[in-house]
Amino acid sequence: MSMTGKERAGLRSEAHHLDVLVHIGHAGITPALLQSLDDVLRTRELVKVQVAKGGELSAKEAANDAAQQMGAEVIQVIGRTFTLFRENPELKRGALPPWRK
């Protein structure tokens, strides 16, 4: 699921206004966290995730690990926050994408 630079740039601009929906704590990427992330990706497709200060994982490592396990694409990593995208073909394609609802 490789994206073009133009598609990634469009999703980066869409993600700018999103709130963080998933927080990775000091325990790192746990099965419970992966389940929460899967639920959010399934319903929203575009998700911001924040990594706790003092955790063992850097945001870049956490983003790559989470994306690989979720079958998602890393859109961007800034500081302790990263954005993931995974398309859900089951969602109706209407006037607004799911992350804008």
Side-chain angles (χ1 to χ4, degrees), residues 1 3-4 7 15 17 22 30-31 33 37 43 49 52 55 59-60 63 65-67 71 82 92 100:
M1 166 183 159
M3 302 181 92
T4 65
E7 291 169 331
H17 302 289
V22 178
T30 63
L33 179 112
L37 185 56
T43 58
V49 182
K60 191 175 242 183
D65 191 22
F82 62 91
K92 280 187 172 179
R100 283 194 183 173

Side-chain angles (χ1 to χ4, degrees), residues 18 21 40-47 98-101:
L18 295 180
L21 295 177
V40 176
L41 281 167
R42 188 175 57 251
T43 58
R44 301 292 297 265
E45 293 183 333
L46 188 64
V47 180
W99 56 87
R100 283 194 183 173
K101 294 179 183 176

Side-chain angles (χ1 to χ4, degrees), residues 7-27:
E7 291 169 331
R8 193 179 310 278
L11 289 173
R12 272 197 310 267
S13 68
E14 292 282 338
H16 177 74
H17 302 289
L18 295 180
D19 294 327
V20 174
L21 295 177
V22 178
H23 295 271
I24 298 176
H26 297 290

Side-chain angles (χ1 to χ4, degrees), residues 58-78:
S58 71
K60 191 175 242 183
E61 292 169 336
N64 290 330
D65 191 22
Q68 181 181 15
Q69 292 188 47
M70 293 287 100
E73 188 85 23
V74 178
I75 300 302
Q76 72 179 1
V77 179
I78 298 177

Side-chain angles (χ1 to χ4, degrees), residues 75-93:
I75 300 302
Q76 72 179 1
V77 179
I78 298 177
R80 295 181 298 116
T81 304
F82 62 91
T83 306
L84 296 178
F85 175 77
R86 182 179 72 190
E87 188 172 1
N88 183 354
E90 295 176 4
L91 293 177
K92 280 187 172 179
R93 297 288 173 217

